[in-house]
Amino acid sequence: MRQVQDQVTTDDPEKHPPSRWETIVILEYSSREWDAAGWTLAEGYPREQSMWNSSHSLAGRSADLEPRRGSGGGQSTSQRRQASRDEFDGPHQLLDIPPAKVLVSQDRELPQLPTNLLAQKQDEILAHVNDRLSLCAYNFVARYQFPIPVEADKRSVSTPSDREWTEWVYLLKRLATKRRIPARVLYNGQIKQLVTVLENSMEMRHAAKHQSRPLKDDRNVLQLISAGIQVAKILKDADAMESLDQLYLETENLIHGGKASHMSYPQESIMPVGSGP
């Protein structure tokens, strides 16, 4: 193929047009060799370009083989290939597979965690936590006069229930990531922990609204209440903390068969809107 290439490039193409066999050999040259040579098919044969265009099939094949140096096609492909790689494609190690008896022990049926709360009681507890957190967020946004974007498909906010807890979480997270919330208004200035604490409470709304879900075990219910307490703590809402902590103790007492057969849910009023920070 090297000899054919030299013959075609050195001879006058008008006097010695390439034969059918030479044309096929040239067109079958791999694009990798064209890149290595540093020139394209059209650049290698400038005076024969009209001849290639005269044949529709040959022009189509030559266009497919041409690397198109100007467009940077080869470079972009390499960049995409590199972008799809991550640290797991480089040097790494694999741990030894655990012994068979360990795998058998792990794969056995999961133990049943205690579930003493009835479905209705779980719904009441989680709905209360959801409502209390919405009130906590409402008071926090109102006190420090944080802006709430106006959305055409939503009503304006006048009460905590005008937004679901997930929407309050989204608003607070956006305010935090956009650095609208100063660290001084949070517990110990934990601005970096705010997003994590909010995300840990996200399941609260799903558990309270989607009552068709399976019953939660007792520890999971207590965990959700505890997540709400952490939200109230980082937002420095003493009333919400006290209310949720009381709910946690009553729920724990009810789970263990205590005397708290009737659980009270204090109705906190919306605090007046204060001045800005």
Side-chain angles (χ1 to χ4, degrees), residues 55-66:
S55 174
H56 178 74
S57 59
L58 293 180
R61 295 181 65 183
S62 63
D64 292 339
L65 292 174
E66 191 171 334

Side-chain angles (χ1 to χ4, degrees), residues 7-19 22 44-52:
Q7 176 184 351
V8 176
T9 54
T10 56
D11 293 343
D12 189 346
E14 297 179 357
K15 297 180 179 180
H16 303 281
S19 65
E22 291 172 340
Y45 302 95
R47 302 198 314 188
E48 296 170 358
Q49 189 169 5
S50 59
M51 179 181 66
W52 307 131

